[in-house]
Amino acid sequence: MQGGSKQAPGLLRRVRETIREYRMIAPGDRVAVACSGGADSVAMLLILRELSDELGCVLTVAHLNHRLRGGESDADEAFVRELAAKLEYPFICEHADVGRQAREARTNLEAMARKLRYEFFRELMETGKADRVAVAQTADDQAETVLFRVLRGAGTRGMAGIYPVLDGRVIRPLLDGRRGDLRVFLEERDQSWREDSSNRDLRLTRNRIRHELLPALLPYNRRLVETLCHTAEIAREDEAFWREYLEPMIAAMVRVEGSSVRVDLERFQQVPRAAGYRILRWAVSLCGTLAEGNSDAAPGTRMPVDFSQIRQLFEMATTGQSGHSLSLPGGIRARRQFDQLLLEARPGGPGSPAGAYSYPVKVPGSTTVLEIGATISFELIPWETDQQGYNEKETILLDRSLVGSPLTLRNWHAGDGYQQAGHEKPRKLKEFFQRNRVPGDQRAAWPVLVQGDSLVWARGMAVAEGFGPVAGSREAIRLSIVSEVPEDSPEDSEDQE
């Protein structure tokens, strides 16, 4: 393995430089190494072991058993436990029923797994068991994350990707290392690792990006991973500038009142549009944070407000009339009150399943409805009169003439009903709920698509009469419920932490 033997010194140097550049570890720090048993986290543990004397830190091995893969998850835990014992490090392990909690919260498995992992990390630090927690994201993970966010639609905040240090205490010492180099490092030391079978599941976006999209793009740029990592670094520097630039503006024009946020529009209307967009996104995020009952936390970065919604909010704030309102993700309602913009969150906070919502729909495009934990896409596709399929379950076809129409996705209202295509008379959605035994706690947030006062579609039902594709059309709109709440970025895969 003559070629591989050159990798370890370079890898150790890059990790050492990353730790020093971002001041990740101070002498005397107790560092919990988050180890899943995968190659990346096992390599991180051994690398930090080799650097621990010069860094002056004390290591502990931490493992969260997600209980997602039955015996395979238990075998991962046993592997990490044995490795910690072999290295003579303390071992801290917790168990979480990710599947059950994801179902109860009506979110996807990856999002819940990430949430529980970081709760585990916070607990380690809050209870004094660790000063820092090290997680094993690499340059490859950074590239996949940036590409993922570009595909979903992102500005510089999204393209900033994975930060080397999170909240000053969660550190990513491998962020300048390559996944292949880590495997060479392990092979040189005859160290085995665990393979997570879910990393080969191409139903997950992160895996399709890793195994299909990135390899397909490499012929266009052999240094694509490095290029995407440089893009992330530039974006992080831009974000740092914007935070400093906007701080005095936000202090002057944004005011918190309980769980509501007010924006002074006289001041707001004097700022450039680019700054205005960022102030509004910050204010919406702050409102969501307050609704979660955490007034001390910095505004989050996961509030799924897309560009079109921020643009609508900006237009309402600059040219709208008093009394105009707009529904935003997370149950947030924006209202213009003369020279004030008021943002209020529904009781129960973002993600509460039962509550009113109303989202403007852009065709083609996609709309995330956080209240039901789903993203609904609208895309134009070729269509012929004799084309069959669709119009059942989670996918239907709409007539192309609806492009450009004012369409809205909202929750079910008592009394809603319509005549489905092919049916002789209108029916109430309440009959559908009863016939299909839809639980009562799911009905209030049941999604329907409307054009003005006319119902076009309701989840689980066919398109309304008169709104399906007509004979002679060459295109149709395909409405699909494409996913539960969008999968988290590739940074969240289990083997990386």
Side-chain angles (χ1 to χ4, degrees):
M1 203 179 297
Q2 186 175 354
S5 64
K6 298 178 181 179
Q7 297 290 345
L11 178 62
L12 290 171
R13 184 187 70 252
R14 289 197 299 275
V15 173
R16 183 187 293 110
E17 290 173 353
T18 299
I19 291 172
R20 288 177 175 169
E21 179 180 359
Y22 297 102
R23 301 177 182 178
M24 293 181 174
I25 299 173
D29 275 349
R30 293 162 297 173
V31 179
V33 182
C35 185
S36 68
D40 297 352
S41 59
V42 170
M44 179 177 66
L45 175 59
L46 297 190
I47 289 170
L48 291 179
R49 176 182 174 84
E50 294 194 21
L51 297 177
S52 60
D53 285 346
E54 64 179 276
L55 294 172
C57 62
V58 178
L59 303 182
T60 296
V61 180
H63 179 83
L64 181 66
N65 186 336
H66 297 85
R67 292 178 169 169
L68 283 173
R69 294 174 286 114
E72 191 176 338
S73 292
D74 292 337
D76 291 345
E77 177 187 331
F79 173 85
V80 178
R81 186 185 300 274
E82 292 173 5
L83 179 59
K86 174 184 173 183
L87 299 176
E88 299 183 339
Y89 287 141
F91 178 69
I92 302 173
C93 180
E94 293 289 344
H95 296 81
D97 192 340
V98 173
R100 177 183 58 80
Q101 295 195 53
R103 288 191 298 273
E104 291 176 354
R106 300 176 67 190
T107 187
N108 68 62
L109 291 174
E110 291 213 326
M112 181 55 67
R114 184 184 194 279
K115 176 179 181 292
L116 295 176
R117 273 199 302 276
Y118 281 84
E119 286 180 357
F120 173 46
F121 299 160
R122 282 195 297 272
E123 182 183 356
L124 290 176
M125 293 181 285
E126 289 172 359
T127 57
K129 296 175 182 176
D131 301 303
R132 303 281 187 273
V133 175
V135 295
Q137 282 124 352
T138 67
D140 299 84
D141 301 317
Q142 181 73 285
E144 292 161 8
T145 298
V146 173
L147 188 54
F148 175 95
R149 293 180 179 175
V150 169
L151 292 173
R152 286 286 173 92
T156 53
R157 188 183 64 173
M159 289 190 293
I162 307 170
Y163 279 71
V165 179
L166 177 65
D167 297 331
R169 305 181 75 184
V170 176
I171 61 175
R172 279 106 179 208
L174 300 187
L175 207 51
D176 288 328
R178 294 298 305 272
R179 193 176 290 140
D181 290 349
L182 296 175
R183 282 150 179 75
V184 170
F185 175 86
L186 292 175
E187 290 167 356
E188 287 179 344
R189 285 150 181 77
D190 197 27
Q191 174 62 59
S192 61
W193 63 85
R194 296 280 299 172
E195 291 288 355
D196 182 345
S197 60
S198 69
N199 289 329
R200 299 187 294 273
D201 185 354
L202 296 182
R203 292 174 297 178
L204 297 176
T205 302
R206 64 176 170 86
N207 288 338
R208 293 196 299 276
I209 290 174
R210 177 178 300 180
H211 299 300
E212 296 180 345
L213 183 56
L214 262 175
L217 292 175
L218 284 175
Y220 298 93
N221 181 356
R222 287 294 173 186
R223 296 182 58 83
L224 181 59
V225 169
E226 291 86 346
T227 299
L228 291 171
C229 288
H230 292 160
T231 298
E233 186 174 354
I234 293 168
R236 289 197 300 274
E237 292 296 331
D238 286 351
E239 284 299 296
F241 163 79
W242 276 109
R243 282 195 299 272
E244 184 176 351
Y245 176 77
L246 293 176
E247 188 173 328
M249 295 184 186
I250 290 171
M253 69 181 69
V254 179
R255 186 170 77 251
V256 174
E257 295 181 353
S259 61
S260 301
V261 175
R262 285 187 181 271
V263 180
D264 181 341
L265 295 184
E266 287 188 3
R267 288 187 171 95
F268 178 82
Q269 290 168 3
Q270 304 305 312
V271 305
R273 179 179 287 260
Y277 283 172
R278 288 174 175 270
I279 291 169
L280 290 176
R281 189 179 293 276
W282 190 95
V284 171
S285 182
L286 174 60
C287 187
T289 301
L290 293 170
E292 292 171 347
N294 190 357
S295 58
D296 296 326
T301 59
R302 292 180 172 270
M303 182 65 65
V305 186
D306 64 26
F307 174 73
S308 64
Q309 292 162 338
I310 289 296
R311 183 168 55 189
Q312 285 181 291
L313 190 58
F314 181 86
E315 297 303 328
M316 188 173 77
T318 53
T319 62
Q321 296 180 351
S322 182
H324 283 187
S325 63
L326 178 68
S327 293
L328 298 168
I332 292 175
R333 188 78 173 174
R335 290 188 291 124
R336 176 155 183 173
Q337 296 180 336
F338 301 104
D339 60 353
Q340 299 282 315
L341 179 68
L342 177 64
L343 298 167
E344 298 175 297
R346 180 182 69 245
S352 180
Y357 60 86
S358 177
Y359 297 94
V361 169
K362 182 180 179 182
V363 180
S366 62
T367 301
T368 296
V369 183
L370 191 65
E371 289 80 0
I372 63 170
T375 296
I376 301 176
S377 75
F378 300 82
E379 55 184 329
L380 282 171
I381 63 168
W383 183 81
E384 297 177 1
T385 304
D386 61 351
Q387 190 169 345
Q388 300 297 318
Y390 304 114
N391 290 346
E392 56 185 32
K393 296 184 179 179
E394 305 289 70
T395 302
I396 66 163
L397 293 181
L398 305 172
D399 186 60
R400 197 213 183 284
S401 64
L402 290 174
V403 173
S405 285
L407 298 172
T408 302
L409 269 170
R410 64 163 173 82
N411 61 298
W412 167 74
H413 295 167
D416 276 345
Y418 68 101
Q419 183 177 344
Q420 300 179 61
H423 290 235
E424 295 181 355
K425 60 181 181 179
R427 290 187 180 277
K428 299 290 187 183
L429 265 66
K430 185 175 181 179
E431 295 180 30
F432 168 81
F433 294 151
Q434 292 169 342
R435 186 171 62 252
N436 290 275
R437 298 183 178 180
V438 176
D441 62 352
Q442 294 182 19
R443 297 182 184 185
W446 200 263
V448 301
L449 180 69
V450 298
Q451 182 192 54
D453 294 328
S454 301
L455 265 71
V456 176
W457 163 83
R459 186 175 193 174
M461 301 174 69
V463 64
E465 187 69 43
F467 286 99
V470 299
S473 294
R474 294 188 177 183
E475 287 185 313
I477 302 168
R478 179 167 60 195
L479 180 158
S480 305
I481 300 182
V482 294
S483 68
E484 294 304 302
V485 172
E487 297 163 9
D488 280 325
S489 303
E491 66 181 272
D492 298 321
S493 59
E494 183 181 11
D495 72 327
Q496 294 154 14
E497 297 182 354

